[in-house]
Amino acid sequence: MRELVYYVAVSLDGFIAGPEGQFDAFLVEGDHMDAGIDRFPDAIPTRIAEVLGIDQGTGPFDTVLMGANTYEVGLPDVTSPYRHLQQFVLTHRSYPPAEGVTFTDRDPVELVRELKAADGKDIWLCGGGTLASELIGEIDRLVLKRQPLLFGAGIPVFAAGTYDPALFRRVSNRDFESGVSMTEYVRA
């Protein structure tokens, strides 16, 4: 069965973006970048991968889920950021049609369960924290790129939710000279 994988960069204090959605403080140069591209080439926006000559066909994903704020990062210029993947934007907001993007206000849990039951590769939960909290019970794997930064405030990796402890087991950890650590967990 397909897995829902939350693969995301996070600050040491638990934020995936600043208060206004800023993410430019995250390190995008260093030895951690090659490892991320090798493991998750399909998590690179299509246009960037094309420019860099990255083969996205070898990655673990064929579907990406994102909330409205994550989708809006590329607007107005990039309306289909991951053309190589089936793209779902879970939102109640209205957007003009975009090639290869499905905008839906469906229940995220229902959608994920339907996607998991279908044939295909894994499903990437791209962000953000609110959507991750809604899908917390469906996340099979967490891959956290912990950056050596403190934000102080911002969008948390998971928005506040209901107290319901869920145990995950660490399956790998890799520290890089850049100070980034990539840690992977699976639901126990």
Side-chain angles (χ1 to χ4, degrees):
M1 187 151 108
R2 301 166 80 183
E3 290 188 332
L4 179 62
V5 180
Y6 190 17
Y7 171 61
V8 66
V10 60
S11 67
L12 292 174
D13 49 353
F15 297 106
I16 60 173
E20 303 300 318
Q22 312 94 310
F23 58 91
D24 57 332
F26 284 126
L27 303 176
V28 294
E29 293 181 356
D31 56 336
H32 66 283
M33 292 301 293
D34 287 338
I37 291 169
D38 288 346
R39 176 86 191 280
F40 299 104
D42 39 5
I44 304 293
T46 308
R47 185 165 41 174
I48 294 171
E50 289 170 349
V51 168
L52 297 175
I54 296 169
D55 176 7
Q56 297 187 293
T58 61
F61 306 124
D62 65 7
T63 304
V64 60
L65 306 178
M66 60 191 115
N69 291 335
T70 300
Y71 174 70
E72 289 180 3
V73 167
L75 295 179
D77 300 326
V78 181
T79 58
S80 184
Y82 301 100
R83 293 186 317 267
H84 58 287
L85 301 175
Q86 183 179 18
Q87 302 169 85
F88 289 93
V89 177
L90 290 104
T91 183
H92 296 289
R93 299 177 194 169
S94 180
Y95 294 98
E99 185 178 345
V101 180
T102 300
F103 300 99
T104 182
D105 62 358
R106 286 183 59 190
D107 177 288
V109 171
E110 178 184 297
L111 174 62
V112 165
R113 288 179 178 168
E114 183 179 296
L115 291 169
K116 282 182 170 184
D119 289 336
K121 293 182 172 183
D122 288 340
I123 304 152
W124 174 33
L125 174 54
C126 180
T130 300
L131 181 57
S133 287
E134 292 179 58
L135 291 170
I136 201 163
E138 296 300 317
I139 295 171
D140 301 293
R141 187 173 299 268
L142 287 165
V143 182
L144 303 176
K145 298 177 287 184
R146 287 178 293 128
Q147 299 261 334
L149 301 164
L150 295 174
F151 279 13
I155 299 168
V157 68
F158 290 100
T162 304
Y163 180 75
D164 186 18
L167 184 63
F168 280 75
R169 179 175 50 86
R170 188 180 72 191
V171 293
S172 69
N173 184 69
R174 186 169 173 196
D175 295 327
F176 298 92
E177 290 297 317
S178 64
V180 172
S181 294
M182 189 178 299
T183 308
E184 185 169 347
Y185 301 89
V186 294
R187 189 173 291 276

